[in-house]
Amino acid sequence: MKFTLRPMRLEDIPHVGSLEQKLFPVDAWPLELFFDEFAQTETRQYLVVEVDGAVVGYCGVMVVGATADIQTIGVLPGFEGQGIGTAMLTEMLSEARRRGARETLLEVREDNPRARRLYERFGFEHIHTRRGYYRDGVSACVMRLIFEESKEAAHEPR
Ligand SMILES: CC(C)(COP(=O)(O)OP(=O)(O)OC[C@H]1O[C@@H](n2cnc3c(N)ncnc32)[C@H](O)[C@@H]1OP(=O)(O)O)[C@@H](O)C(=O)NCCC(=O)NCCS
């Protein structure tokens, strides 16, 4: 299956909002939040993935100072397990680096092993648990990836 990763456009948002309802039934972002996030181009980058001209995945990263946050990532069921999540995360981490981040944080549901595995494969480590963080009472794992060059820089003499 061939897929294309490209920046999100304003006109993608209504469709992305409907994917969001399917992917995150418990705490889907309202459409206004996507518009609001999308507009903050100085600190955000949102991407979509297309297959045969249809958007099947989306993601966004925020970078403020030295810290990036994965804001959201999702792939439509039926298109999972084919490398789309990996491609989106790879691109968001590259963007975070380009924007000067030294680390990236994210939150993931404790009961979402698939997403956690994806993040662990990239080297994210579970650093904290937010008890009952989600609306249905499930806890969030806060995960962090420190970029290698930052670890090296931290050991360099000043
Ligand atoms: C988590 C999520 C984004 C992962 O996206 P994905 O496109 O399925 O991710 P990938 O395909 O890159 O990787 C998933 C698995 O497919 C495997 N895979 C990757 N490329 C592959 C390929 N070309 N062929 C076969 N398998 C492949 C990976 O090894 C991985 O295996 P694992 O789960 O055993 O570790 C997706 O499952 C999703 O949207 N879930 C619902 C929403 C959600 O939970 N989002 C995260 C919120 S924090």
Side-chain angles (χ1 to χ4, degrees):
M1 187 200 57
K2 196 173 165 303
F3 62 84
T4 317
L5 190 60
R6 63 158 174 84
M8 189 183 284
R9 297 193 280 258
L10 193 62
E11 58 268 29
D12 293 320
I13 293 180
H15 177 63
V16 167
S18 71
L19 296 184
E20 173 84 2
Q21 297 291 334
K22 292 193 184 101
L23 295 174
F24 300 99
V26 176
D27 42 20
W29 281 10
L31 211 49
E32 310 82 72
L33 186 52
F34 278 104
F35 282 113
D36 187 50
E37 283 283 305
F38 178 80
Q40 300 184 57
T41 50
E42 279 193 9
T43 52
R44 311 288 200 277
Q45 161 88 319
Y46 278 81
L47 303 167
V48 297
V49 164
E50 279 182 346
V51 174
D52 296 331
V55 171
V56 302
Y58 58 95
C59 63
V61 62
M62 168 174 81
V63 186
V64 176
T67 301
D69 276 274
I70 302 299
Q71 301 286 80
T72 186
I73 179 167
V75 177
L76 197 58
F79 294 89
E80 292 176 285
Q82 302 187 65
I84 294 178
T86 301
M88 290 198 292
L89 191 53
T90 301
E91 183 49 33
M92 283 193 288
L93 294 174
S94 300
E95 181 65 16
R97 281 194 170 92
R98 281 193 290 273
R99 292 183 182 217
R102 300 214 189 112
E103 61 172 6
T104 299
L105 296 170
L106 60 81
E107 278 138 15
V108 56
R109 289 173 65 98
E110 211 168 33
D111 64 356
N112 190 348
R114 179 165 204 161
R116 289 175 65 178
R117 265 201 313 275
L118 173 68
Y119 304 137
E120 280 162 8
R121 250 190 288 122
F122 277 79
F124 278 87
E125 288 174 15
H126 181 183
I127 55 163
H128 179 64
T129 300
R130 292 199 175 137
R131 296 269 159 231
Y133 179 79
Y134 294 99
R135 218 189 275 175
D136 59 356
V138 172
S139 299
C141 303
V142 179
M143 299 183 78
R144 179 176 63 188
L145 174 67
I146 299 178
F147 293 139
E148 272 312 313
E149 55 271 30
S150 309
K151 285 186 192 159
E152 284 156 21
H155 294 122
E156 275 168 16
R158 280 161 214 267

